[in-house]
């Protein structure tokens, strides 16, 4: 089965958790897009759900495919968010933000009673950090923020290149109008400590470590679907 098919299988398995009338957080990325396509088929045959998209990109796809949308201001409490991830560890701590949507994704996940992560098996890791950690920063003082991030990481024994994400020769700008720093720290054993340290830096808007947000991961591999539950 190719990578796209695995994403479709994970999305299909997660769709089984969606029931009529749910208020859904709808994730961003190639896996979440497969979920949107399958959800749209259900909506077309009568399922009633309302979704809060986690990016302009997801909003556009939902609108194109007829998935009804609302805003988090109109619907501030959600039943379930379904989203992809860049890395998933055994506790279901995640790295997200490879597509730059981490801020809205985290706000939406935090407003949801449950979050299900959908992924192919390649996203499962023992320790997070091979995937560079996306850190969303205010444009103002970006260099100073970068220096502060490096210093905070060094205090925790973490180091490595921190690069400004670029696209088409220009800095990548998030839906919220911010920049993204990608921090290649390597293994991050102390995710909670790093999260706290990053949140203490004024120019950091949010980071891509999702701790204690995902309740279930639905992971598709060559041998079928594996469902991983977060420890209680
Ligand atoms: O900002 C993007 C999101 O966090 C995505 O959910 C994440 O990058 C995974 O994307 P994909 O399903 O394309 O691997």
């Amino acid at each position: 089965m190719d990578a796209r098919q695995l994403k479709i299988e994970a999305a299909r398995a997660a769709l089984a958790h969606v029931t009529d009338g749910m208020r859904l957080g709808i994730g961003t990325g190639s896996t979440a897009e497969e979920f949107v396509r399958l959800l749209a088929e259900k909506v077309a045959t009568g399922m009633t759900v309302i979704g809060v998209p986690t990016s302009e990109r997801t909003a556009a796809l939902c609108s194109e495919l007829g998935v009804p949308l609302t805003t988090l201001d109109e619907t501030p409490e959600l039943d379930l968010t379904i989203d992809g991830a860049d890395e998933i560890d055994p506790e279901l701590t995640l790295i997200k933000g490879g597509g730059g949507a981490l801020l809205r994704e985290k706000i939406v996940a935090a407003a949801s009673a449950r979050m299900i992560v959908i992924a192919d098996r390649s996203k499962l890791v023992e320790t997070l950090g091979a995937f560079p950690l996306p850190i969303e920063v205010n444009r103002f003082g970006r260099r100073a923020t970068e220096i502060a991030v490096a210093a905070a990481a060094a205090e925790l024994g973490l180091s490595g290149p921190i690069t400004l994400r670029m696209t088409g020769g220009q800095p990548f700008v998030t839906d919220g109008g911010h920049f993204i720093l990608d921090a290649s720290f390597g293994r991050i054993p102390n995710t909670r400590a790093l999260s706290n340290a990053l949140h203490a830096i004024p120019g950091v808007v949010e980071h891509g470590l999702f701790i204690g947000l995902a309740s279930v991961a639905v992971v598709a591999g060559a041998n079928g679907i594996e469902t991983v539950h977060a420890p209680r």
Side-chain angles (χ1 to χ4, degrees), residues 75-91:
T75 310
E77 292 177 274
L78 304 176
D79 301 298
L80 175 64
T81 286
I82 297 192
D83 201 349
D86 299 300
E87 283 188 344
I88 306 169
D89 83 1
E91 312 257 279

Side-chain angles (χ1 to χ4, degrees), residues 28-31 83-86 96-101 105 123:
T28 296
S30 57
T31 319
D83 201 349
D86 299 300
K96 286 183 55 53
E105 288 177 333
K123 305 292 183 66

Side-chain angles (χ1 to χ4, degrees), residues 5 9 15-16 20 39 41 47 81 93 97 109 113 119 121 127 140 142 144 153 159 163 167 176 183 196-197 217:
Q5 197 54 41
E9 291 312 320
L15 192 61
D20 233 15
L39 180 66
E41 288 174 11
M47 179 182 260
T81 286
T93 298
R121 262 203 132 267
T127 308
F140 180 84
R142 187 263 302 173
S159 63
T163 55
T167 180
N196 291 342

Side-chain angles (χ1 to χ4, degrees), residues 7 27-33 57 83-87 95-102 105 118-120 123 131 134 165 210:
K7 291 174 191 186
T28 296
S30 57
T31 319
E33 281 175 14
R57 184 173 136 194
D83 201 349
D86 299 300
E87 283 188 344
I95 286 183
K96 286 183 55 53
L102 65 106
E105 288 177 333
I118 49 176
D120 62 81
K123 305 292 183 66
F131 191 93
R165 189 179 298 184
F210 280 48

